[in-house]
Amino acid sequence: MSKGLIVTDLHVSIEDKEILKGVTLAVEPGKVHAIMGPNGGGKSTLAHVISGRPGYTVTGGSVSFDGHDVLEMEPEERAALGLFLAFQYPVEIPGVTNTTFLKTAVNAQRKARGEAEMDPMAFLRLLREKAKLLYLPDDMLKRPLNVGFSGGEKKRNEMLQMAVLAPKLAILDETDSGLDIDALRIVAEGVNAQRAPDRSFLVITHYQRLLDYIVPDVVHVLADGRIVETGGPDLAKQLEKTGYAEYAGTAA
Amino acid sequence: MNHISAAPFLEDHAHLAAALPGGGPVAALRAAAAAAFRDQGLPHGKVEAWRYTRLKDLESTSFGRAAPAVVAAAPRGAGLAVEAVRIVLVNGRYAEHLSTPGLPAGVTVKSLCACLEAGDAEVLAALDGGADFAQAPMAALASAWLEDGAVLSVDAAVAVAPIVEVVALAVGDTPAMSFPRLLVRLGAGASLTLVETFTGPAEGVYAVNAVSEMVLGAGAALKHYVLQAEGKAATHVSLGRCAVPENGRYEGFVLQLGGKTARHEMRLKMVGAGGEAQLNGAYGVRGEAVCDTTTVVDHIAPETTTDQVFKGILDGRSKGVYQGRVQVWRDAQRIVGNQLHKALLLSRAAEVDCKPELEIYADDVKCSHGATVGELDGDQLFYLQARGIDAVTARALLMRAFIGEVLDTISDEAVRAAFAARADAWLDAEGAKR
Amino acid sequence: MVSTIETVETVHEFTGAYKYGFVTDIEMDVAPKGLTEDTIRYISAKKDEPEWLLEWRLKALTLWRKMEEPTWAKVDYPKIDYQDLHYYAAPKNRSDGPKSLDEVDPELLATYEKLGIPLKEQEILAGVVAVDAVFDSVSVATTYKAKLEEKGIIFCSFSEAVHRAPELVKKYLGSVVPQGDNYFACLNSAVFSDGSFVYIPKGVRCPMELSTYFRINAQNTGQFERTLIIAEEGAYVSYLEGCTAPQRDENQLHAAVVELIALDDAEIKYSTVQNWYPGDAEGKGGIYNFVTKRGACRGKRSKISWTQVETGSAVTWKYPSCILQGDDSVGEFYSVAITNNAQQADTGTKMIHIGKNTRSTIVSKGIAAGRSDNTYRGLVRVLANAEGARNYSQCDSLLIGDKCGAHTVPYIESHMPISTIEHEATTARISDDQLFLCRQRGLSPEEAVALIVNGFCKEVLQNLPMEFAVEAQKLVGISLEGSVG
Ligand SMILES: Nc1ncnc2c1ncn2[C@@H]1O[C@H](COP(=O)(O)OP(=O)(O)OP(=O)(O)O)[C@@H](O)[C@H]1O
Ligand SMILES: [Mg+2]
């Protein structure tokens, strides 16, 4: 059974328009991969398809995680396997507090894995502890999920969810966008604190800055639905200077 | 009171209608309309759509059919103070000699009477929105006496530059009811700015029962502004109907300032994807008058958007009514429908009744309505007074601002200015009294 | 008509004395089908009622015969044959109910399971045992009773109150909902079986939530329940009605009347969780719930607050209302109405502002799923003397699926310039993004819908007493089962 995430020649379209045109990628446990690339290249699409968002048609290829064919699974089943997506645009749910939401999620995943529900007090302790690490004030835990949160607060809230759910693979879709310098550092530290031999990250970002904090093992460039370049941390630095012009030609 | 007899309004109908223009199909329409009105009787409070507005004068006074009248010239100020091509109806009948000679290219105007006589099937078919008399008792009465009116047509792809104003003028000194009727047809991609103005003797007792149909071709755009400026003792009932087709645009505004009992009803059917409509309005009502604005917006096709804002100012012992229904049909997905009514009550004896209604059968919709009723904002009033503005001026200022907000949505500048002037005049009469 | 005559004849045969109706045969347990004066005399005699109450009932019958069944609500159900119903049934003995839980519909039991209802309570709900057969409850009820009586609180069945507190009943019965108020209330006035009576004396705060659940002596009263709650000056009471678990019930028609009276500075909080049988997925069976609930804030600074969670019944027709007579009185209406499958609900409130500076708040959350229809219908009326009146209404509808309907029909009538009325309504659906977020975090579609809908209803649910709120939350999820897939 092959561990980690394996994406093989993935083709995806939306309403007959092909968005991903054969993406191949493997993230081993414990590794951090970064995905960069121009706007509209298909980064979020890849993240969504891996996590099972409806609305996409997979026309070819496969995605497996820890040996499971995830494309056949419901989003919640993938979540229970340990797949986590930090949304580029976090969603609001009026009336459902942050705490309730996370408690429900934690217990749903535990149930799916055949584990007992978490003791409510233990859960609260865990939640507070993680919130503190992200400098999220306690009152934010009582507020409805993301409602009225600032852009930066929403992103940090995604990180809180990641910290509490402790996934095996976390996909961070532009979690750094819209963060001020301090928040960026806090988020990065949050991620680094989570780094573990059995946990991997797929970090989607436009900026080298984040990768200064979260040093990736591998950097990919995704442009026009394809991985057009793969390299080490230096690739990101080089892109910072040259931009994506070099890959523009591949669009055709 | 479950039925108010229709008989006084249909006296000798079979006999008299036989003398009206048009052949068999027209006669059949009249007969069907008369039967429908007879069945329903005069609308009254037990009829849900009329629960707040009683046509008291029609219940008590017998209104005959308004006779044809010869008017040498339209009275001053009958029309709106804008540069316009004018079509004049006197007691519901097309008065060619009062209407502007020479029409812009692509525009034709005919008397409805001529169309009926010529057996114009298209015109006949366009009347009465498929003879939906069960939902429109007063329109049924109007159709029972179908005789004349104006038919305005714009060829496809023609953008009519000048404003076209249809003035429905009531004259005469006996209580009589006239039936102004207008049919507007825009070809595909055509556009038109239309004003309908209703007016009559300032003091005389009379009744107007008007029906206007607007038929739009694909992608056509209509601006439809209605000014109801009837005399103080008038009973005014009007019904407008427009089906907004694929990518069609409708911008409506209804300003009601006149009448003793007035009701304007606008029904919009969003029948084509991509259609958009804005339907706004304002009313001022005082004395013992009743002013009713009713709208029915039907989202039949998916991807249609409508927006409605109405504002009213009420004084004296008057009554203001706003009823607005937004319906979204099954499978009409991706709909936006918003609606707002705000009423300002100036007097303790005035009454406002409001019934905004949503009826929704599709799930991908964003619909909302809001309603507020209250007095002038005390804080704002105080703020102005604290800056040295006297109470009367401050009140007037705030009322203008209140109405101005919705008048500003009229996209035609000339009409906006003319409507604002009418609203101001109404408010001034108000200010003078205080 | 024919059936009426038949009934009369049946009655005649039964009693052998038509003139006195059923009175002579007081031992009989079920009145024959049909509604006549004799039915009413029979009911009244069964309950050993005073003459005035019998007259009161008979007057209602006379009025009712002249009335027509209302048709304005957005509900559609087959015509009810009022002569084909039993109007009185004494508490059933054990022999006709299920003998053990093994005989109970497994779906009902599955729901109890999900709600976490203890076994003993399941047995009561399913009709396996009578409430008074459960010694725990009896003792609980009697201890409560003693405690309440100490404070002068009367909490008993309506029938009992007729004897225990006749003056109060006579004074207040029909004073908020007169006999001829509406068709169903009028029917109830004629034939009401039993219900609850609560009296809180001056200045007394009722020390516990009063609940029908703890009332032992009024079973099988669901059909034509009559409840009267009186809070004297400065009194406070919180009353809970219903149960979160679906109740087994044979009666199809429910026409209850609830009257609340709050005097100066009194407060009544009335919470309902209504989960009668909604019929099956095809719309077969289920309860018609035609209820008239109204509270009069008679006193200055009095307050009446309705909270309802309506998830059951095939057809719901219900408008808990407040008549705000006393100056500075307050009316509140918090409602969650969930319809799924073929259910229909037409529910809302009326707030009638009569006194000065009266305030009302309406928060309504309607959730429609399946092929159901869900209508909010409300009236806010500000009368000419209600200077300083304020109303705020928020009516939100949520649609789940494209085969259901959600409707909002508010009536707003104001005669008073120095007043503020604000009404807002929205209709939307659960967004795909919200659903996906929840599932990405591990929730099943059902759990996701339950969570999102609970959030949508939060403002209302948090008004329920604690122990009820938790069950109501679960109920929200259960009611919507099968709505996404
Ligand atoms: N629902 C949709 N319908 C139609 N096209 C879509 C839809 N979602 C995405 N696309 C298109 O797919 C392409 C890839 O979008 P995606 O969001 O994956 O890009 P991205 O690489 O994440 O871009 P960014 O850096 O701006 O976040 C874009 O051209 C986008 O317009
Ligand atoms: Mg993206």
Side-chain angles (χ1 to χ4, degrees), chain B residues 165-166 182 194-198 212 214 224-228:
Chain B
E165 182 185 22
V166 178
L182 175 65
L194 173 73
V195 178
E196 278 189 88
T197 302
F198 294 94
S212 305
M214 285 142 277
H224 178 219
Y225 305 123
V226 177
L227 173 65
Q228 184 272 102

Side-chain angles (χ1 to χ4, degrees), chain A residues 42-187:
Chain A
K43 303 181 294 295
S44 295
T45 304
L46 177 64
H48 290 152
V49 171
I50 293 172
S51 49
R53 184 184 178 131
Y56 300 89
T57 315
V58 175
T59 53
S62 66
V63 178
S64 78
F65 185 67
D66 285 354
H68 300 270
D69 175 4
V70 298
L71 293 180
E72 291 301 312
M73 299 168 87
E74 297 297 330
E76 60 272 26
E77 294 170 334
R78 305 183 200 198
L81 275 187
L83 270 172
F84 177 90
L85 170 66
F87 289 62
Q88 182 175 3
Y89 305 107
V91 176
E92 300 181 357
I93 306 185
V96 177
T97 65
N98 235 340
T99 307
T100 305
F101 176 72
L102 264 173
K103 189 159 69 186
T104 314
V106 165
N107 285 330
Q109 293 199 13
R110 287 177 153 245
K111 199 171 103 191
R113 292 194 288 257
E115 297 163 17
E117 282 201 359
M118 201 166 174
D119 168 69
M121 292 322 287
F123 171 78
L124 274 181
R125 268 198 305 278
L126 173 76
L127 183 61
R128 292 226 182 85
E129 174 205 321
K130 301 294 183 193
K132 209 160 166 191
L133 288 175
L134 288 157
Y135 296 91
L136 280 167
D138 261 11
D139 79 288
M140 211 117 110
L141 301 174
K142 293 185 207 125
R143 279 167 54 188
L145 184 68
N146 290 330
V147 178
F149 286 25
S150 76
E153 285 168 347
K154 284 183 182 170
K155 292 298 177 73
R156 270 190 281 161
N157 204 29
E158 294 290 295
M159 290 302 96
L160 174 67
Q161 294 175 29
M162 177 181 80
V164 171
L165 292 169
K168 287 200 188 127
L169 168 69
I171 305 171
L172 312 188
D173 192 355
E174 296 197 24
T175 301
D176 53 336
S177 301
L179 291 181
D180 65 33
I181 301 160
D182 291 336
L184 183 71
R185 196 172 33 79
I186 292 165
V187 164

Side-chain angles (χ1 to χ4, degrees), chain A residues 14-15 17-20 35-48 53-56 88-89 173-174 177 204-206 222-225:
Chain A
I14 303 172
E15 289 163 5
K17 183 181 159 211
E18 183 157 67
I19 309 282
L20 296 185
I35 297 186
M36 304 184 80
N39 292 133
K43 303 181 294 295
S44 295
T45 304
L46 177 64
H48 290 152
R53 184 184 178 131
Y56 300 89
Q88 182 175 3
Y89 305 107
D173 192 355
E174 296 197 24
S177 301
I204 297 171
T205 181
H206 286 292
L222 180 60
D224 190 32

Side-chain angles (χ1 to χ4, degrees), chain B residues 48 51-52 330 333 345-348 350-375, chain C residues 74 373 384 387 399-429:
Chain B
E48 183 64 24
R51 64 183 286 135
Y52 293 120
R330 178 87 61 226
Q333 301 290 9
L345 278 169
L346 301 179
S347 143
R348 291 188 165 221
E351 170 185 343
V352 64
D353 298 313
C354 168
K355 187 186 167 203
E357 208 179 325
L358 298 173
E359 190 176 347
I360 293 167
Y361 287 102
D363 63 337
D364 194 356
V365 297
K366 279 209 174 74
C367 288
S368 72
H369 66 220
T372 65
V373 178
E375 53 173 350
Chain C
K74 214 174 167 49
D373 263 300
E387 186 169 333
L399 292 134
I400 302 174
D402 59 4
K403 297 283 177 290
C404 52
H407 321 295
T408 316
V409 191
Y411 297 79
I412 300 158
E413 304 173 1
S414 178
H415 298 254
M416 179 65 222
I418 308 171
S419 68
T420 314
I421 303 175
E422 286 176 78
H423 173 98
E424 285 177 53
T426 63
T427 302
R429 64 168 183 172

